[in-house]
Amino acid sequence: MSKVAILIDGGYFLKRLPTVFKSAKPGDPESVAWALRRLIAAHLKSRNRIEKLPHERALLYRSFFYDAKPYLGKEHRPVSGKSIDYARSDEAKFRLALHDKLRRMSHMAVRLGEVRRERGWILREEAQKRLLKGEIKVADLTDDDFTPGLRQKAVDMRIGTDIASLTLKRQVDTIILVAGDSDFVPASKLARREGVKVVLDPLWRSVAPELFEHIDGLQSGFPKPGTAAAKKAEKDEDVE
């Protein structure tokens, strides 16, 4: 019997969710977990058209959700000097609650990197352009013109490590990767050389043509946005 692992780039999934599954609420941990279950179930159902097992969940080795722990430090805004406690932000509360929710899901592993403060405040590109064009002066800048110099660390590394481990330990026959960039290519090459199939789900975002030589197929778990199938799927009841 074939075994399937589903690896989900959490940051990418959350970014694409409002487009591919409009009935989900991106800031609600329960709603996001519900959408994830729908995505996983859809992929397993599709793979089971070949295996024809009594229940498609028998195919699942494990699902993996990759994200970063939210930044919980304290800062002062660059212009006003007002203090910020990131631990109290809606984004931090959401991520912590989501990670806790997913840890409780059946056959789900949560792999977390971290967010580090690598730089000070960074002037947003739009504000830079307006400054260079002379449309505004430095004295006109506000807190909203800056973004904190935070950077996510070790998430891509964890995806690559798990692909290699699943492959070399012969734990799965197929890896379904929900992601949108080419950072996975080296690990994908290893998996395919060792006989593991790699299926990419970019959540209906176009991918570079050269990626096709490093995967065994392209398939999205959610129906194409805007189609009748997508509208029907969003009205269906939850899948566990």
Side-chain angles (χ1 to χ4, degrees):
M1 180 180 69
S2 177
K3 278 291 183 180
V4 176
I6 302 177
L7 282 59
I8 302 160
D9 181 334
Y12 182 74
F13 174 81
L14 291 171
K15 187 181 295 184
R16 293 291 298 161
L17 187 58
T19 298
V20 297
F21 204 71
K22 295 183 183 300
S23 61
K25 301 174 183 177
D28 181 351
E30 181 68 40
S31 183
V32 172
W34 168 63
L36 272 171
R37 288 196 295 269
R38 297 297 302 267
L39 179 69
I40 292 166
H43 274 298
L44 293 176
K45 185 175 182 179
S46 177
R47 304 307 297 177
N48 201 40
R49 293 192 183 105
I50 299 173
E51 296 294 330
K52 300 187 183 303
L53 299 178
H55 198 290
E56 56 265 18
R57 286 192 67 85
L59 286 171
L60 182 63
Y61 169 73
R62 189 168 293 136
S63 297
F64 298 79
F65 186 86
Y66 301 87
D67 200 9
K69 300 174 185 176
Y71 183 69
L72 303 178
K74 296 181 179 180
E75 307 283 348
H76 288 87
R77 293 190 181 276
V79 178
S80 67
K82 294 180 179 178
S83 62
I84 309 172
D85 185 351
Y86 286 97
R88 296 187 177 183
S89 68
D90 291 339
E91 179 64 18
K93 293 176 181 178
F94 163 68
R95 295 282 177 145
L96 291 172
L98 176 62
H99 298 161
D100 184 63
K101 183 75 178 176
L102 297 183
R103 289 187 188 99
R104 301 168 190 269
M105 279 178 57
S106 174
H107 294 82
M108 174 66 79
V110 178
R111 298 277 200 264
L112 299 179
E114 58 184 10
V115 175
R116 294 181 183 175
R117 180 69 137 155
E118 289 196 337
R119 299 174 59 186
W121 292 91
I122 301 171
L123 187 62
R124 295 181 185 275
E125 185 177 352
E126 181 59 31
Q128 293 180 37
K129 291 179 180 178
R130 294 177 67 198
L131 273 174
L132 292 172
K133 290 179 179 179
E135 296 176 356
I136 59 172
K137 298 178 180 180
V138 172
D140 298 322
L141 295 174
T142 68
D143 289 331
D144 292 336
D145 291 318
F146 294 85
T147 182
L150 305 176
R151 186 175 180 183
Q152 185 173 284
K153 290 282 192 177
V155 175
D156 291 338
M157 179 190 72
R158 282 171 169 76
I159 295 176
T161 298
D162 279 340
I163 291 176
S165 179
L166 291 166
T167 296
L168 297 177
K169 291 181 180 180
R170 305 293 179 184
Q171 292 170 318
V172 299
D173 305 284
T174 302
I175 292 174
I176 298 173
L177 181 60
V178 182
D181 56 39
S182 58
D183 291 338
F184 66 87
V185 166
S188 176
K189 287 182 177 179
L190 169 66
R192 296 178 76 227
R193 282 198 302 266
E194 295 296 322
V196 173
K197 294 178 181 178
V198 178
V199 177
L200 178 64
D201 180 353
L203 298 175
W204 292 103
R205 185 177 179 182
S206 59
V207 299
E210 56 267 23
L211 285 184
F212 285 93
E213 66 177 295
H214 303 300
I215 60 176
D216 295 293
L218 191 69
Q219 181 178 1
S220 287
F222 291 132
K224 188 174 183 178
T227 64
K231 294 176 182 178
K232 180 179 183 301
E234 291 176 3
K235 293 179 180 178
D236 289 344
E237 293 183 359
D238 194 6
V239 178
E240 181 60 61

